[in-house]
């Protein structure tokens, strides 16, 4: 959850993979319209990255959702990591948080072995 002065402004739903080497799946990032483009989405996903420092990160994004695509790029850059599209069938729909018939592309943020650890402030 993200909040400003105790008022909730967003949340992130993420699921750790079934094995120790499986990625963490970011299924949903939601931020209220008034708080968008202020870094809340980035902070939410970085909190997931901080909680799962040894896992890669997978997101499923609809092609037309340019805001989510931009967020995933910012997350990758902030983690000193690479992002690439992977075949949708690489992961289960339930792991990605998508329903049958929804059209998404899976994106993998590969965590850099040499990246410095995230501190409690997100830096």
């Amino acid at each position: 959850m993200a909040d400003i002065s105790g008022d909730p402004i967003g949340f992130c739903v993420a699921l750790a993979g079934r094995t120790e080497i499986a990625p963490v799946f970011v299924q949903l990032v939601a931020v209220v319209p008034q708080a968008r483009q202020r870094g809340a989405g980035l902070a939410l996903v970085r909190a997931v990255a901080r909680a799962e420092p040894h896992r890669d990160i997978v997101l499923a994004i609809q092609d037309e959702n340019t805001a989510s695509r931009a967020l995933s790029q910012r997350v990758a850059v902030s983690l000193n990591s690479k992002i690439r599209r992977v075949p949708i069938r690489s992961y289960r729909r339930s792991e990605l948080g998508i329903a049958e018939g929804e059209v998404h592309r899976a994106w993998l943020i590969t965590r850099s072995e040499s990246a410095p650890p995230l501190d409690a402030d997100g830096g």
Side-chain angles (χ1 to χ4, degrees):
M1 290 287 293
D3 69 85
I4 296 176
S5 300
D7 294 324
I9 61 160
F11 65 95
C12 179
V13 176
L15 170 70
R18 298 171 189 253
T19 67
E20 287 186 30
I21 61 169
V24 61
F25 299 94
V26 175
Q27 296 184 334
L28 177 66
V29 178
V31 177
V32 298
Q34 302 87 332
R36 291 183 186 155
Q37 297 185 339
R38 297 185 183 177
L42 178 61
L44 286 163
V45 180
R46 284 177 57 86
V48 170
R50 197 169 40 256
E52 297 289 347
H54 302 292
R55 293 182 188 264
D56 291 340
I57 300 169
V58 175
L59 309 98
I61 303 169
Q62 293 177 327
D63 285 341
E64 65 275 4
N65 192 335
T66 56
S68 290
R69 181 72 176 101
L71 172 61
S72 64
Q73 285 287 88
R74 285 193 307 275
V75 169
V77 168
S78 78
L79 296 174
N80 192 30
S81 300
K82 304 263 188 234
I83 185 169
R84 66 181 173 89
R85 191 174 81 184
V86 295
I88 194 72
R89 288 178 179 78
S90 299
Y91 305 104
R92 296 178 176 150
R93 288 184 167 280
S94 60
E95 291 170 325
L96 296 169
I98 57 177
E100 192 67 39
E102 291 183 337
V103 179
H104 291 73
R105 296 202 186 268
W107 294 87
L108 172 66
I109 298 175
T110 305
R111 306 290 291 273
S112 171
E113 296 287 330
S114 62
L118 295 174
D119 60 28
D121 296 331

